[in-house]
Amino acid sequence: MTSRVRVEAQINGDPVEFLCEPYQSLLEVLRDVLGLTGTKEGCSNGNCGACNVLLDGVLVNSCLVLAPEVHGHEVTTIEGIAGSDGLHPIQRAFLDHAALQCGICTPGFIVAARALLDRTPHPTEQQVRHWLAGNLCRCTGYDKIVRAVLAAADTMETAR
Amino acid sequence: MQAFDYVRAASVEDAVARLAASGGQAYVLSGGTDLIVQLREGRRSARVVVDVKGLPEFGDLSYDPDMGLLIGAATPCWRIAADAAIASAFPGLVEAISLIGGVQIQGRASIGGNLCNASPAADSIPALIVHAAVCEIAGPSGRRSLPVEEFCIAPGRTALQPGELLVRVFVPPPAQHSGAAYLRFIPRNEMDIAVVGAGAAVTLDSHGERFVAARIALGAVAPTPLYVAEAGAALAGQPVSPDTIAEAARLAREAARPIDDLRGTAAQRRHLSGVLVRRALERAVERARAR
Ligand SMILES: Cc1cc2nc3c(=O)[nH]c(=O)nc-3n(C[C@H](O)[C@H](O)[C@H](O)COP(=O)(O)OP(=O)(O)OC[C@H]3O[C@@H](n4cnc5c(N)ncnc54)[C@H](O)[C@@H]3O)c2cc1C
Ligand code: FES
Ligand code: FES
């Protein structure tokens, strides 16, 4: 028998404490224990990026992180991307460029794009495509998504 | 997901004790990009996973031009690739680890996990072999070292004995006039497993015209990553020329023992072995001359 684990972490800036099974993924806990259902499950094997979150600022697949591993660490999910004053420029650009259809892949793309623009504010198209290679979209197609990310980079530059 | 316990190792000795006491039911957890998938899919079964990421030595990353490179077994790939001094001293190694997965995988995947998972197609291993890397292993009877080419013994199996774990990998400093490269063939540009991988490291004379030494290794063409000592030895003392490089590539192609599978046929893999070794040697020579 395994015993439940108590985990303390910062999630989207707030201190959070939860109990979980030692073998539960961060993805499961976010969705099923904490009610943060913005993070999606696509493949649960690291291939699709729908479950992307930032762990201490580093982009990771939450389906490949055990929830107890985040004890003492900081997690940012899609719910933590928008500011108090409304949508993040990346989210706005996805809407403006119709970069989503069913939307399952969208939170993962947005979290990934945010990680890219944090470190590379002016990416080339090639850099955007390379960075997003670990995110799969089955309905929109990648061109609109890439254009949305490039447009968001421009907007963020103007706002700076 | 199957049920298992999670423990954070308190020290290397604690990790060793837990592994030794587990009767093979404990797994070391590094980045989890292989292990968590395998546990979820039931390809491995565990009673407990032992997280080593919090242990200081496992997160080591230090490079000194005289002492060489020390990589903690759990250091994620992105940290290694982000270090400019390491990328310039070991371009072949950084080329290889940068191919592992996409950005999200790079955020977690480690060299220790890549080695210990012992896939015949693991990208870092041929590169570590040509750099003559050495594994530092901790176990119930203390520490020992093992050349990286002796670490994998079968698909998914390593030379680690019960209770042992990989602590660090040591890569000697690059010699003067040396260069290295790693190339892999996959059907798309990103996010795929090697059909064939090839690493080459060369040391040239001070004029850049003669090979002083060379090491060549292949991935995905045998049950383990393959060190082709004879192909490197054939270059020692020879002039740098299309003919000598072609001969080394031929020896590598002969050494390959590939199989047919969904990623490619044995014949294609044998052919690719020769082509990739030739190109990796050419690129390594170029880098050695530029240094
Ligand atoms: C989408 C995706 C793409 C991938 N692409 C590639 C690719 O292109 N090339 C490639 O080579 N691999 C690839 N991989 C496989 C994987 O990411 C790598 O093998 C990675 O380096 C594993 O490191 P890890 O830290 O995640 O290992 P883990 O999953 O933590 O561990 C792997 C295995 O090694 C054992 N282990 C880990 N550390 C130690 C230690 N210190 N001592 C003893 N045993 C230990 C574990 O118990 C486990 O059995 C991919 C995986 C995914 C999910
Ligand atoms: S659900 Fe995690 S990568 Fe697909
Ligand atoms: S919008 Fe449906 S998968 Fe991308």
Side-chain angles (χ1 to χ4, degrees):
Chain A
M1 269 301 283
T2 59
S3 48
R4 286 161 77 81
V5 187
R6 195 181 60 85
V7 178
E8 282 174 43
Q10 283 279 120
I11 299 187
N12 297 326
D14 297 326
V16 172
E17 202 182 314
F18 60 84
L19 275 177
C20 67
E21 299 295 342
Y23 48 85
Q24 272 186 303
S25 69
L26 174 60
L27 172 62
E28 270 179 84
V29 165
L30 287 172
R31 291 182 56 85
D32 301 344
V33 178
L34 301 174
L36 293 168
T37 54
T39 306
K40 303 303 181 198
E41 176 173 19
C43 63
S44 258
N45 60 25
N47 275 282
C48 77
C51 65
N52 282 349
V53 299
L54 305 180
L55 180 52
D56 296 331
V58 176
L59 187 68
V60 302
N61 296 125
S62 62
C63 70
L64 299 187
V65 175
L66 296 176
E69 293 185 74
V70 307
H71 183 76
H73 295 273
E74 262 178 60
V75 179
T76 305
T77 69
I78 184 67
E79 287 87 351
I81 301 288
S84 49
D85 49 345
L87 293 183
H88 186 280
I90 301 172
Q91 294 173 311
R92 173 73 29 230
F94 267 65
L95 288 175
D96 292 346
H97 288 76
L100 65 157
Q101 287 187 21
C102 77
I104 281 279
C105 68
T106 311
F109 272 103
I110 288 173
V111 172
R114 157 74 197 277
L116 170 65
L117 299 184
D118 277 353
R119 66 156 78 180
T120 313
H122 306 291
T124 61
E125 180 181 334
Q126 160 81 24
Q127 283 174 313
V128 173
R129 287 186 187 273
H130 187 263
W131 187 272
L132 297 179
N135 286 80
L136 300 181
C137 173
R138 294 302 300 268
C139 37
T140 305
Y142 299 98
D143 283 341
K144 289 179 172 179
I145 293 171
V146 170
R147 264 179 259 143
V149 175
L150 289 168
D154 286 344
T155 316
M156 288 162 72
E157 167 66 13
T158 322
R160 217 169 268 131
Chain B
M1 181 79 100
Q2 58 186 288
F4 51 81
D5 269 315
Y6 168 90
V7 294
R8 223 168 268 121
S11 63
V12 176
E13 295 68 33
D14 176 47
V16 166
R18 287 176 186 277
L19 294 174
S22 77
Q25 296 277 320
Y27 281 91
V28 174
L29 174 66
S30 182
T33 62
D34 280 315
L35 184 61
I36 294 176
V37 177
Q38 291 164 3
L39 291 172
R40 183 171 289 135
E41 293 175 355
R43 283 187 279 146
R44 299 202 190 235
S45 71
R47 244 185 23 228
V48 57
V49 300
V50 181
D51 189 348
V52 293
K53 285 190 291 295
L55 299 178
E57 287 177 292
F58 286 77
D60 272 355
L61 184 64
S62 71
Y63 170 59
D64 179 298
D66 298 320
M67 304 294 290
L69 172 63
L70 210 48
I71 308 175
T75 306
C77 290
W78 75 269
R79 273 187 58 209
I80 306 169
D83 186 310
I86 295 174
S88 108
F90 303 97
L93 178 59
V94 170
E95 216 155 45
I97 60 163
S98 302
L99 290 173
I100 298 177
V103 187
Q104 302 85 329
I105 298 294
Q106 293 272 310
R108 300 293 275 175
S110 65
I111 280 198
N114 202 232
L115 271 165
C116 296
N117 189 58
S119 158
D123 283 306
S124 77
I125 305 179
L128 289 167
I129 292 174
V130 301
H131 279 296
V134 178
C135 300
E136 181 181 340
I137 297 166
S141 44
R143 302 257 171 148
R144 67 180 176 115
S145 297
L146 190 69
V148 78
E149 59 267 29
E150 293 170 26
F151 190 77
C152 298
I153 58 172
R157 288 191 48 214
T158 68
L160 292 176
Q161 298 298 308
E164 285 190 327
L165 76 170
L166 179 65
V167 179
R168 300 193 287 199
V169 175
F170 168 70
V171 191
Q176 275 209 311
H177 312 294
S178 69
Y182 176 79
L183 297 171
R184 83 173 175 189
F185 179 83
I186 56 170
R188 61 183 288 215
N189 291 332
E190 277 301 318
M191 296 283 293
D192 210 339
I193 302 299
V195 179
V196 174
V202 303
T203 304
L204 306 182
D205 66 6
S206 56
H207 306 291
E209 278 161 19
R210 218 165 251 287
F211 290 104
V212 173
R215 287 171 72 92
I216 290 167
L218 291 168
V221 297
T224 63
L226 195 62
Y227 173 42
V228 195
E230 62 276 22
L235 289 173
Q238 298 296 314
V240 177
S241 78
D243 287 350
T244 55
I245 289 176
E247 174 59 10
R250 189 188 64 80
L251 289 169
R253 195 171 56 232
E254 306 262 286
R257 289 175 273 131
I259 53 166
D260 292 323
D261 70 10
L262 76 162
R263 294 186 196 282
T265 62
Q268 182 195 19
R269 287 194 156 104
R270 206 167 290 113
H271 174 72
L272 284 168
S273 302
V275 174
L276 292 184
V277 164
R278 172 171 59 73
R279 291 183 187 166
L281 280 169
E282 288 166 355
R283 192 182 280 203
V285 164
E286 228 171 83
R287 286 178 173 158
R289 284 176 171 161
R291 182 124 68 189

